[in-house]
Amino acid sequence: MTHFDLSLFNKERDFDSFYNFIMKNTAYFTEYINEAPSFEEVEAEFLLDVPPGVDIENKKVYVIYQEQRMIGFLDILFNYPETSTCMIGYLVIDQTHRNQGIGQLVYDQTSAYIKTKNIQKVRLSVVEDNKPAIKMWEKQGFEIADEVITEYGVQLMMEIKL
């Protein structure tokens, strides 16, 4: 069984590791291949970005550590786009730790936690070309609810009722 620690992001403890994680995973964050973002840009994009009219308190970012090394992160926006729904913005596992069941275990733990918050539906968005992610989310019971064209290509909006 794969062991990891999932904890709420703490800027003093986690920011340097978080920044380095983003820069190491440029296959996922392709816009950073040619130009590295500043610390402020990473903070703004991943830690402070919420849709208009949404309270930053609704956003929770969790870091995933294995043996004191950050191997991923999870971002959840509670009560969005409506009350009793949450949106998973990111669940990213380091390339060297994929296909080991970590994403599954993180989702299982997260799903159990979400249910304690009276959340009845979970939504997320996946780029249409990301077949492994789509397969993983479908395995969890998520279904495609909509397609949206974005600057990153076609995004599949997926959801599951809890």
Side-chain angles (χ1 to χ4, degrees):
M1 170 99 105
T2 302
H3 177 73
F4 65 89
D5 295 306
L6 180 67
S7 60
L8 196 57
F9 179 88
N10 175 294
K11 187 173 179 178
E12 287 181 22
R13 178 192 67 208
D14 299 317
F15 191 79
D16 287 344
S17 295
F18 186 82
Y19 182 87
N20 292 332
F21 176 85
I22 298 294
M23 296 313 300
K24 182 179 174 207
N25 283 276
T26 52
Y28 191 88
F29 303 109
T30 55
E31 67 269 28
Y32 300 143
I33 291 173
N34 296 323
E35 186 174 335
S38 68
F39 283 175
E40 292 79 14
E41 289 169 326
V42 166
E43 181 178 36
E45 181 171 346
F46 297 99
L47 305 174
L48 302 175
D49 186 38
V50 294
V54 174
D55 191 323
I56 190 67
E57 293 298 316
N58 290 13
K59 181 176 182 126
K60 303 296 179 206
V61 178
Y62 299 88
V63 289
I64 306 162
Y65 279 95
Q66 187 175 60
E67 297 174 4
Q68 311 202 332
R69 184 167 158 250
M70 186 178 292
I71 62 165
F73 73 98
L74 168 72
D75 148 324
I76 303 173
L77 196 54
F78 287 92
N79 296 308
Y80 180 82
E82 63 248 349
T83 306
S84 77
T85 299
C86 73
M87 181 89 178
I88 295 176
Y90 291 100
L91 172 53
V92 182
I93 305 297
D94 182 79
Q95 288 126 308
T96 62
H97 289 80
R98 292 187 189 151
N99 300 314
Q100 298 177 24
I102 296 170
Q104 175 72 56
L105 293 170
V106 169
Y107 176 71
D108 290 348
Q109 190 173 335
T110 302
S111 179
Y113 173 71
I114 286 170
K115 289 176 185 175
T116 70
K117 298 290 186 186
N118 296 318
I119 298 295
Q120 298 169 4
K121 183 169 45 172
V122 179
R123 293 178 54 95
L124 53 87
S125 175
V126 179
V127 176
E128 183 180 48
D129 294 340
N130 190 347
K131 303 298 183 199
I134 294 167
K135 183 178 176 184
M136 190 205 91
W137 292 118
E138 286 178 336
K139 183 179 167 190
Q140 308 317 309
F142 281 79
E143 296 178 350
I144 297 170
D146 198 7
E147 291 183 10
V148 180
I149 298 173
T150 71
E151 62 184 288
Y152 303 108
V154 176
Q155 297 270 343
L156 303 178
M157 295 301 300
M158 302 180 78
E159 62 183 41
I160 186 171
K161 289 187 169 80
L162 301 177

